Amino acid sequence: MIRSQIRQMGVGVMALMLLLTGGMAVDAGVTKDGASKYLKNVQKGNPNLKSVGKITFGPGGLLVVADPAKATITVIDTHDLGPMKKLTKKISKIDVAVAASMGVKPDDIKIEDMAVNSQSGKVYLSVIRKTDNQPAILMIDAMGKVKNFDLSEVDYIQVALPGGKNSKIRNITGVALASDRLLAAAQSNEEFANKIYSIPLPLTHGTSADIYSAETYHVAHRRWETKAPIQSFVPYSNKGKNYIVGAFACTPIAKFPLDELQSGSKVKGTSIVELGSGNRPLDMLTYESDGKEWLLTNTFRFHWKKSMYGPSKWWGVRVNMDYLDAENTNEEAARRNVKQKEGPDGIEIVDQLSGAVHIDKLQKKEIVVLRDNEGHLDLEIAKLP
């Protein structure tokens, strides 16, 4: 059913789905010189990041970087266009090498996020050095060598994420480049703290995003909530309509309509799946297997002292995207069977995500995993079911 819907949605949405599933860029606007269709009024120099948080890749080597301290999104043309050279083996204790590249010990860094360039296979990390709060973007090549990505002279655009009246952004919890817009999720200090941002293409330096306040029904708590931010999300299109599909702590997966909204308006999400209380989703992506589309998320179990779903407090689950077709849910959202590895049909724990602190799509059914190993972090490629 998902496949037939995608065929009906046209070329623009197909480009979006390719983006979501790690497909190579096919848009004619993406050239060897970068993704000119996506950027306007490109600057040359240092974007002067005050912090780094969530990161993701778009077509043509575009790296999207969230800067919570400045409440901005920076898109950098890395000119990293391949050829593809993926990791040749598992890199044990990569956190030691990352810390050494910043002149400190592993306890003195915080790896905020990981993104994989599906054109070159290189792994990018956003990292904060705790000793002086210095942000950095680091690259890891196929052999596991760690290198600083020099930000002193790059091609970039920067867009502001506005707060509401008398408010400010506390954190940016997700970023994604869709076929027609850049999307971000954030948390402010307002009553409606959960924010969604939309920035139309081409992304123009110096502009400001449209802002929506989001309200979500938390199935486990049996109430509507406005303060809990989206922890991770993917763009999604179905039957000609555009949505954000996001996951929250404790742990509903909900979809939010994006069409025909005015900046500053409030939007209600529809909770479609409940993964279980006591968990916080970390990353989210989609992939295809056996003719089905799956939504995949790795999750941190913060109630791990009470009970664990496997050998690690980091675990993961996949959800058949047919669940997204549901129109009238919330209280009736499908609930994962927390006492079983599978159930209900189309919701399954994924063994490959045990210990996964960060994940990102490499190609087709391959992901790169930054995995906990007794307090250290290993970097490896895993195949999805």
Side-chain angles (χ1 to χ4, degrees), residues 51-57 63-68 73 94 98 102 109-116 122-128 135-140 171-176 185 231-233 281-285 298 356-361 368-370 377 379:
S51 65
V52 288
K54 291 291 186 178
I55 57 175
T56 191
F57 265 96
L63 178 64
V64 183
V65 182
D67 184 344
I73 301 294
I94 191 67
V98 168
M102 299 186 72
I109 63 167
K110 183 179 181 183
I111 298 176
E112 296 284 358
D113 202 10
M114 177 186 76
V116 179
K122 289 180 181 175
V123 179
Y124 287 64
L125 301 177
S126 57
V127 185
I128 298 291
I137 301 293
L138 304 178
M139 297 182 299
I140 304 172
N171 193 21
I172 302 170
T173 55
V175 288
Q231 297 290 333
S232 58
F233 73 88
L282 301 171
D283 303 297
M284 184 177 283
L285 56 87
N298 60 314
V357 178
H358 291 293
I359 63 170
D360 200 15
K361 186 76 169 291
V368 175
V369 181
L370 194 62
L377 293 171
L379 188 68

Side-chain angles (χ1 to χ4, degrees), residues 113-155:
D113 202 10
M114 177 186 76
V116 179
N117 186 344
S118 60
Q119 291 186 247
S120 70
K122 289 180 181 175
V123 179
Y124 287 64
L125 301 177
S126 57
V127 185
I128 298 291
R129 187 168 58 198
K130 297 179 185 178
T131 52
D132 57 0
N133 290 321
Q134 179 66 36
I137 301 293
L138 304 178
M139 297 182 299
I140 304 172
D141 65 18
M143 302 305 295
K145 183 178 179 181
V146 180
K147 180 181 179 182
N148 179 62
F149 180 76
D150 188 0
L151 292 168
S152 62
E153 194 71 11
V154 295
D155 296 321

